[in-house]
RNA sequence: CCGGGGUUAGCUCAGUUGGUCAGAGCAGAGGACUCAUAAUCCUUUGGUCGUGGGUUCAAGUCCCACACCCCGGACCA
């Protein structure tokens, strides 16, 4: 087999300091959909996700619960992994934990490279530090509350005066190189509006960055041989240094000569939330420049989900657990809703009614019912097998052509992570297919012109086949059922390493056609309408 | 305080360089059909395009001011 092109995609790694909510699910699902699309489209895809387990916050929480940091991290990491595996059907190839041994090795290796580049120096840091935010604030960014506690003005978290020896990264040196990089790679960050904000931040000039801590030890140690000549203190890396490096670890770093690294680095896409765009668009490329490593090709920044317009927060009590939604609406309806409803990159506001509306109108009515009515007619009127079509007329050719065009439209949309646009066009074609079916009225042709009826049913089923192929990334389970119902043979090795669905069909099958004579079973509804639970 | 984005039918939103741009989907109303998950198809009701000015033969579409919302950033200890 010829070598397939590689595609390396990552999510942000989660800080496992609580329960995963629907916002986490949004990120995992969108990355999963992107990864599945690329797999089906013939790429050798590597999809990395995981947890970010270091830092003072974890250490303190663990102590409070009488656990070691590693025990706490393990417990919480397993909760996140479980959501990926058992709730959302995320087809990741590796679930990385920043406590994994190879990650320590990678983090120390990139640190060493940055030292060799002359970009790390020892100095003293003094400032107001928020443990909760893992960030320093200038005096001006803090305020004293009525109870006398000094807090970060923006986040309201308590800060403490910290004066400590620290290693610094010469971020200031990379101000101009970064601006040059942005200019030469205008698609590095997306959507454009968010990328612009990052650029403006850099244009204001960058300060050097404190990248080590000595006041706690829950982190990747800075290699002792690099520090012993200048300090007797033990330094651990600032969490973001090791967190970002997880993307390299996943690619096999520091073994830069390995097949794996050569194949998958630089990453094709980092998919992240808008809260951490600066780390991925400023610090990360600067670290990589310093380390002499290629920069990732793109960072896509998604928005946040709001509950009926309100921010999700524990205190308001409107946090949605992924399990709850999946149980209420079904996994595929949830996946579809999240990607279809919101323009990717913008914040979105969800309501129960909005989810139900998508599930019923788009899935049950426009797609599910079209499949059901056409397949039922085939079973009843074509001897239970895909019929042999006759000559196509203009109407046939037109709807087939519209379905045909969806593959390229979807590729273009996925390339810039405009998932909503791909789905919108797909459902537009389904609307046309429903109109075609009603116009042709095969139930009338049954007696007048059976051959014409068979052609109409064949064309309709073929349109559904193409749509089903394309929506596999979004709704793997349902799409597979649909393709099974159409008697489409499974193809390729496009499956995810831990996918629970069976028989994905690669997009190579797009150029095929339904095989007349393939027997099909009496169809069962694949996309049920939403049923409200009984009151009380 | 500075910068960016937004404010278009009941709801969610499209609207390129100013001239069929007043649109789509959902919801609502009427009709058709019966193959189908009471689904589908056709027709249709809704808007002075945030407010007030201005430029222009012509402005959601450009300019100015104002109001409200969102996002960045600065400052305010």
């Amino acid at each position: 087999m010829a070598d397939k092109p590689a595609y390396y995609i990552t999510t942000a790694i989660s800080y496992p300091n609580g329960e995963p909510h629907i916002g986490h699910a949004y990120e995992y699902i969108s990355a999963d959909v992107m990864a599945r699309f690329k797999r089906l489209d013939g790429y050798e895809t590597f999809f990395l996700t995981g947890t970010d387990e270091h830092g003072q916050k974890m250490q303190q929480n663990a102590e409070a619960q009488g656990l070691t940091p590693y025990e706490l991290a393990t417990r919480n990491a397993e909760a996140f992994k479980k959501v990926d595996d058992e709730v959302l059907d995320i087809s990741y190839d590796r679930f990385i934990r920043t406590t994994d041994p190879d990650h320590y090795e990678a983090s120390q290796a990139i640190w060493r490279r940055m030292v060799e580049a002359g970009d790390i120096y020892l100095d003293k840091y003094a400032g107001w530090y928020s443990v909760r935010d893992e960030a320093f604030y200038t005096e001006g960014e803090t305020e004293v509350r009525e109870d006398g506690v000094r807090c970060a003005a923006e986040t309201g978290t308590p800060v403490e005066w910290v004066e400590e020896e620290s290693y610094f990264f010469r971020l200031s040196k990379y101000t101009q190189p970064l601006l040059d990089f942005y200019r030469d790679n205008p698609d590095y960050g997306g959507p454009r509006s968010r990328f612009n904000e990052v650029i403006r931040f850099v244009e204001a000039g960058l300060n050097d960055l404190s990248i080590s801590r000595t006041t706690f030890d829950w982190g990747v140690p800075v290699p002792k041989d690099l520090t012993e000549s200048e300090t007797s203190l033990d330094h651990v890396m600032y969490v973001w240094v090791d967190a970002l490096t997880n993307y390299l670890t996943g690619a096999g770093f520091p073994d830069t000569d390995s097949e794996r690294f050569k194949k998958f680095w630089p990453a094709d896409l980092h998919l992240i939330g808008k809260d951490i765009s600066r780390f991925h668009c400023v610090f990360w490329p600067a670290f990589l420049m310093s380390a002499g490593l290629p920069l990732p090709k793109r960072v896509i920044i998604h928005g946040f989900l709001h509950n009926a317009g309100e921010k999700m927060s524990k205190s308001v009590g409107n946090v949605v657990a992924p399990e709850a939604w999946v149980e209420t609406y079904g996994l595929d309806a949830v996946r579809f809703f999240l990607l279809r409803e919101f323009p990717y990159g913008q914040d979105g506001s969800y309501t129960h009614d909005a989810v139900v509306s998508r599930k019923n109108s788009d899935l049950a009515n426009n797609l599910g019912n079209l499949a059901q009515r056409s397949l039922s007619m085939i079973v009843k009127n074509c001897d239970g097998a895909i019929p042999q079509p006759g000559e196509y007329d203009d109407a046939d050719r037109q709807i087939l052509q519209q379905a045909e065009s969806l593959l390229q439209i979807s590729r273009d949309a996925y390339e810039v992570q405009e998932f909503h646009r791909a789905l919108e066009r797909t459902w537009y074609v389904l609307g046309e297919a429903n109109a075609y079916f009603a116009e042709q009225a095969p139930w009338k042709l049954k007696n007048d012109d059976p051959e014409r009826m068979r052609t109409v049913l064949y064309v309709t089923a073929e349109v559904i086949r193409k749509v089903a192929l394309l929506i596999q990334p979004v709704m793997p389970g349902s799409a597979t059922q649909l393709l099974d119902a159409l008697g489409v043979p499974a193809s390729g090795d496009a499956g995810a390493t831990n996918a629970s669905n069976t028989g994905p069909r690669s997009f190579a099958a797009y150029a095929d056609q339904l095989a007349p004579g393939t027997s099909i079973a009496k169809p069962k509804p694949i996309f049920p309408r939403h049923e409200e639970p009984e009151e009380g």
Side-chain angles (χ1 to χ4, degrees), chain A residues 383-436:
Chain A
D383 300 323
I386 299 293
Q388 177 71 46
E391 285 287 306
Y392 290 155
D393 68 13
D394 286 345
D396 303 331
R397 280 190 287 269
Q398 189 172 8
I399 190 66
L400 286 169
Q401 164 51 35
Q402 292 194 69
E404 180 67 35
S405 71
L406 286 175
L407 176 58
Q408 193 55 49
I409 287 170
S410 296
R411 278 178 176 145
D412 293 345
Y414 272 75
E415 205 54 41
V416 287
Q417 292 78 46
E418 292 183 357
F419 309 112
H420 62 289
R421 197 157 60 80
L423 293 172
E424 180 184 23
R425 290 293 308 180
T426 302
W427 257 260
Y428 169 77
V429 172
L430 283 172
E432 294 292 298
N434 269 309
Y436 164 84

Side-chain angles (χ1 to χ4, degrees), chain A residues 140-161:
Chain A
E141 287 170 334
T142 67
E143 60 194 11
V144 179
R145 282 196 317 218
E146 286 179 6
D147 58 8
V149 177
R150 181 175 291 271
C151 293
E154 194 173 324
T155 58
T157 58
V159 296
E160 56 189 290
W161 183 256

Side-chain angles (χ1 to χ4, degrees), chain A residues 174-482:
Chain A
Y174 289 94
T175 302
Q176 195 53 48
L178 282 170
L179 291 173
D180 293 343
F181 171 70
Y182 301 150
R183 186 197 58 224
D184 296 339
N185 299 276
D187 294 325
Y188 177 72
R192 189 68 213 183
S193 56
R194 298 221 179 274
F195 190 31
N196 284 342
E197 283 174 355
V198 169
I199 294 172
R200 256 178 259 119
F201 172 77
V202 176
E203 282 172 346
L206 298 169
N207 297 320
D208 288 352
L209 189 67
S210 169
I211 54 167
S212 75
R213 299 287 183 270
T214 57
T215 51
F216 61 96
D217 61 8
W218 182 235
V220 179
V222 177
K224 199 68 184 163
D225 64 289
L226 295 175
T227 65
E228 59 193 359
S229 67
E230 49 193 13
T231 178
S232 58
L233 295 176
D234 292 325
H235 286 252
V236 295
M237 296 179 194
Y238 173 48
V239 281
W240 272 105
V241 175
D242 97 78
L244 288 163
T245 301
N246 93 86
Y247 305 131
L248 282 173
T249 309
F253 185 79
D255 186 359
T256 54
D257 292 327
S258 67
E259 283 305 306
R260 162 166 207 75
F261 190 81
K262 283 190 272 191
K263 192 174 210 18
F264 288 116
W265 195 261
D268 292 275
L269 185 68
H270 294 316
L271 192 148
I272 63 165
K274 63 181 187 177
D275 52 331
I276 53 176
S277 59
R278 193 179 301 169
F279 296 101
H280 287 78
C281 295
V282 182
F283 300 169
W284 184 225
F287 292 166
L288 290 168
M289 283 178 184
S290 173
L293 294 166
L295 274 49
K297 293 174 190 162
R298 182 168 164 88
V299 175
I300 182 68
I301 304 162
H302 70 249
F304 286 169
L305 297 184
H306 292 188
N307 187 328
E310 302 244 325
K311 274 186 184 170
M312 274 190 291
S313 79
K314 281 183 186 168
S315 53
V316 177
N318 61 355
V319 178
V320 172
E323 294 90 332
W325 262 27
V326 169
E327 189 178 331
T328 303
Y329 308 113
L331 174 59
D332 281 352
V334 169
R335 291 173 62 108
F336 176 78
F337 173 79
L338 291 173
L339 291 177
R340 171 63 186 87
E341 185 77 357
F342 313 119
Y344 205 71
Q346 294 180 25
D347 287 352
S349 178
Y350 57 80
T351 61
H352 169 73
D353 288 350
V355 184
V356 171
S357 176
R358 284 290 174 203
K359 182 177 173 182
N360 286 345
S361 295
D362 289 353
L363 297 183
N365 298 352
N366 290 321
L367 174 55
N369 184 56
L370 180 64
Q372 186 68 14
R373 65 199 302 210
S374 54
L375 290 176
S376 283
M377 284 203 72
I378 289 174
V379 168
K380 288 177 186 168
N381 303 297
C382 305
D383 300 323
I386 299 293
Q388 177 71 46
E391 285 287 306
Y392 290 155
D393 68 13
D394 286 345
D396 303 331
R397 280 190 287 269
Q398 189 172 8
I399 190 66
L400 286 169
Q401 164 51 35
Q402 292 194 69
E404 180 67 35
S405 71
L406 286 175
L407 176 58
Q408 193 55 49
I409 287 170
S410 296
R411 278 178 176 145
D412 293 345
Y414 272 75
E415 205 54 41
V416 287
Q417 292 78 46
E418 292 183 357
F419 309 112
H420 62 289
R421 197 157 60 80
L423 293 172
E424 180 184 23
R425 290 293 308 180
T426 302
W427 257 260
Y428 169 77
V429 172
L430 283 172
E432 294 292 298
N434 269 309
Y436 164 84
F437 200 80
E439 172 74 20
Q440 300 296 325
W443 54 91
K444 284 182 182 162
L445 296 169
K446 185 163 55 176
N447 299 318
D448 313 346
D449 189 349
E451 179 178 346
R452 179 61 198 156
M453 175 200 73
R454 287 192 286 272
T455 303
V456 169
L457 293 177
Y458 180 88
V459 167
T460 303
E462 173 58 20
V463 170
I464 294 170
R465 186 191 70 96
K466 282 187 154 63
V467 168
L469 283 172
L470 279 183
I471 62 174
Q472 290 178 95
V474 179
M475 297 181 282
S478 306
T480 296
Q481 285 180 48
L482 201 44

Side-chain angles (χ1 to χ4, degrees), chain A residues 15-94:
Chain A
Y15 204 84
N17 209 0
E19 295 295 308
H21 56 65
I22 199 70
H24 293 105
Y26 184 44
E27 177 165 318
Y28 302 152
I29 289 169
S30 40
D32 182 55
V33 167
M34 189 74 214
R36 287 177 187 267
F37 190 93
K38 285 293 182 180
R39 272 191 211 103
L40 293 166
D41 207 17
Y43 288 76
E44 181 172 348
T45 301
F46 188 68
F47 174 15
L48 183 75
T49 190
T51 45
D52 171 20
E53 307 183 356
H54 292 124
Q56 192 171 9
K57 194 160 40 172
M58 285 295 287
Q59 185 165 356
Q60 288 182 347
N61 279 340
E63 282 164 10
Q65 297 181 45
L67 299 169
T68 66
Y70 186 72
E71 285 169 344
L72 176 65
T74 299
R75 196 183 69 193
N76 292 343
E78 280 171 358
F80 275 78
K81 190 165 182 294
K82 189 172 173 187
V83 166
D84 282 345
D85 291 342
E86 298 175 21
V87 180
L88 301 175
D89 195 13
I90 302 302
S91 65
Y92 61 80
D93 294 291
R94 175 174 174 183

Side-chain angles (χ1 to χ4, degrees), chain A residues 518-534:
Chain A
T518 307
S519 65
I520 60 175
K522 183 167 184 269
K524 294 189 189 108
I526 291 171
F527 297 96
R529 289 180 61 80
H530 186 71
E531 288 178 26
E532 293 293 347
E534 296 296 324

